[in-house]
Amino acid sequence: MAAAATCGAGVLSSGCVASTAGRSSTTSFQRRSKASGADGGGPRLLSIAGTRPSVRNGQLLVSTGLPALDQLLGGGLAVGTVLLIEEDKYSIYSPLLFKYFLAEGIVNGHTLLVASAKEKPADILQELPAPLLDDNGKKELEDVHNSKTPESDVNMKIAWRYQLQPKMQVGPVSSSRFGHYYDVSKRIPQELLGSSKWHGFFLPEHITSDLKGEPCSLSGDYMKLLQFIQNIIYTEGFDGSNPQKKQKNILRIGIQNFGSPFWGDDICCTENSDNSHRLTKFFYVLRGLLRTSLSACIITMPTHLIQNKAITARVRNLSDTVVGLESFIGSEKETNSLYKDYHGLIHIRKIPRLNNLTCDESDVKDLAFKLKRKLFTIEFLTEAAAH
């Protein structure tokens, strides 16, 4: 009882994970339950805009905003999980995946929570790419933002020619609000931003000089972010504990450049950090919050800068899905003729095996990406380059 009371008061500890699991009956990891609508009773999560069930296990999925990446991850990002994006060396391409995820949320009318220590969340949202929509897509977009309960059978036909190669099961899609394409040369329309709901956490605005005790040995910075996320989940009903506020929507959480010096962490500066467990404890508590809520989280992190590789291994282990970007800039591959058509490699390091104790490893190898004038694309490497 004491642990549950402490969590409810907004003071997180490592023991809060178990108590948060008991306070809500809405969890994304119930394959057949009222929450999933499998028995015909209770809320039907499958009717939420921008979601669909996994064909593998019935898990509720959201799109990452990049349909090619959705395919690689087994159909999309599972609700209640963490996607870790390991940033490329110069952080040129990883911000695009971060913005795709947020833009997909706005297009589908999802609630956003944007956290950064470098850029103001409002500025990040202004830089989101514009969706590529035909007439049917534009009509559907109006339905999402003009109605709280849009019909789920509105179809959208998208610019299919930008998908992966045919052997990755490419074909015309007529799904209802799942996976859109974006033009990185244009900015998202202001009317979409104006009708969206979002919450921003800009670290410099939360720093105070009177930081006291640090529960869980977390830094005050990480602690404030966890409390902010917890407050949004509970007060807006994403955990389902309050029937009057029970959400029929998804909370998309985006955390940028986490673990970098911008967040006041020294793991990128020294191998023997005095607070080497701060990140892993943050991930542990965060996962406890996500598991019992209609939330999905993407975190970009400069893992290539972390001096102690044991920390990197622990963070990967605590993430549900891990995707790494390797840019060719400054490397020998930049001038290698075999890679002349690409800008870097994408590594699917981990995909979740939900409701199991182990995780899957992607059987798709030799993937490359390139940034065209309008689009970020993922393709198979040519046979020569792959070997």
Side-chain angles (χ1 to χ4, degrees):
M1 293 297 291
T6 302
C7 288
V11 181
L12 286 156
S13 66
S14 58
C16 289
V17 176
S19 60
T20 55
R23 72 178 286 160
S24 171
S25 60
T26 301
T27 169
S28 61
F29 286 86
Q30 295 174 347
R31 291 185 58 187
R32 297 187 63 83
S33 68
K34 293 183 178 181
S36 62
D39 60 356
R44 295 178 58 84
L45 300 190
L46 301 185
S47 66
I48 299 177
T51 67
R52 70 180 177 192
S54 168
V55 297
R56 298 178 61 186
N57 51 31
Q59 174 68 34
L60 194 64
L61 304 175
V62 296
S63 174
T64 61
L66 190 60
L69 183 58
D70 290 340
Q71 287 191 15
L72 295 172
L73 301 183
L77 178 63
V79 173
T81 64
V82 178
L83 166 60
L84 175 66
I85 300 293
E86 297 184 343
E87 299 176 6
D88 52 289
K89 187 175 181 180
Y90 296 103
S91 193
I92 295 175
Y93 303 103
S94 53
L96 289 176
L97 301 189
F98 186 78
K99 292 175 181 177
Y100 279 139
F101 177 81
L102 298 177
E104 183 69 14
I106 288 182
V107 168
N108 287 295
H110 296 166
T111 301
L112 303 185
L113 191 160
V114 186
S116 176
K118 179 182 178 182
E119 302 177 73
K120 291 185 177 181
D123 294 337
I124 294 175
L125 295 181
Q126 290 292 333
E127 295 296 316
L128 297 184
L132 286 171
L133 302 172
D134 60 9
D135 291 339
N136 289 336
K138 293 176 182 177
K139 174 64 168 60
E140 178 186 348
L141 202 58
E142 292 175 359
D143 291 340
V144 171
H145 288 270
N146 293 336
S147 174
K148 294 183 179 179
T149 57
E151 294 297 324
S152 61
D153 59 348
V154 180
N155 293 327
M156 173 179 177
K157 296 179 181 178
I158 51 183
W160 180 254
R161 64 185 180 277
Y162 299 113
Q163 187 53 283
L164 290 173
Q165 302 296 333
K167 66 177 180 177
M168 298 205 66
Q169 301 177 356
V170 180
V173 168
S174 183
S175 60
S176 178
R177 298 186 206 93
F178 194 94
H180 299 79
Y181 291 84
Y182 297 88
D183 184 346
V184 297
S185 67
K186 298 180 180 179
R187 296 294 170 254
I188 195 166
Q190 289 298 313
E191 55 268 25
L192 279 182
L193 284 179
S195 62
S196 64
K197 183 175 183 180
W198 62 275
H199 305 275
F201 181 95
F202 184 47
L203 180 61
E205 296 177 350
H206 292 265
I207 294 178
T208 59
S209 58
D210 57 346
L211 292 177
K212 299 181 180 179
E214 301 177 354
C216 293
S217 298
L218 289 169
S219 72
D221 302 344
Y222 292 168
M223 191 65 199
K224 287 179 179 293
L225 177 56
L226 280 171
Q227 290 175 339
F228 187 82
I229 294 173
Q230 181 192 47
N231 180 63
I232 298 301
I233 289 176
Y234 290 164
T235 59
E236 299 199 3
F238 288 102
D239 66 322
S241 61
N242 188 339
Q244 295 181 344
K245 295 183 178 181
K246 200 168 187 178
Q247 282 282 1
K248 199 177 181 182
N249 199 357
I250 300 295
L251 175 65
R252 286 179 177 249
I253 303 171
I255 305 175
Q256 187 183 55
N257 303 128
F258 203 60
S260 69
F262 291 109
W263 286 91
D265 209 317
D266 62 353
I267 59 172
C268 295
C269 305
T270 177
E271 183 174 354
N272 299 315
S273 172
D274 294 333
N275 299 298
S276 61
H277 296 291
R278 291 161 59 186
L279 268 179
T280 55
K281 289 184 177 180
F282 174 88
F283 274 81
Y284 182 75
V285 179
L286 175 65
R287 277 179 46 162
L289 291 172
L290 297 179
R291 287 295 193 267
T292 56
S293 65
L294 292 175
S295 307
C297 180
I298 182 173
I299 299 177
T300 70
M301 190 172 172
T303 53
H304 61 283
L305 295 178
I306 298 178
Q307 301 297 308
N308 188 338
K309 298 309 175 184
I311 298 177
T312 303
R314 290 197 294 268
V315 169
R316 287 176 178 173
N317 186 52
L318 285 169
S319 301
D320 300 292
T321 307
V322 182
V323 175
L325 296 180
E326 177 189 345
S327 171
F328 291 159
I329 297 177
S331 70
E332 296 179 354
K333 295 177 181 177
E334 185 178 18
T335 56
N336 190 324
S337 60
L338 295 176
Y339 299 101
K340 61 183 178 62
D341 295 327
Y342 312 106
H343 292 123
L345 302 177
I346 185 166
H347 306 285
I348 309 299
R349 305 195 190 281
K350 180 181 177 182
I351 56 178
R353 177 182 293 175
L354 303 175
N355 304 313
N356 288 274
L357 296 178
T358 59
C359 65
D360 280 336
E361 289 188 4
S362 174
D363 57 357
V364 180
K365 309 294 182 182
D366 304 323
L367 295 168
F369 66 83
K370 58 183 176 182
L371 178 61
K372 301 179 181 179
R373 186 174 67 88
K374 294 184 177 181
L375 297 156
F376 180 93
T377 63
I378 301 174
E379 301 177 0
F380 284 101
L381 280 170
T382 60
E383 185 174 350
H387 295 85

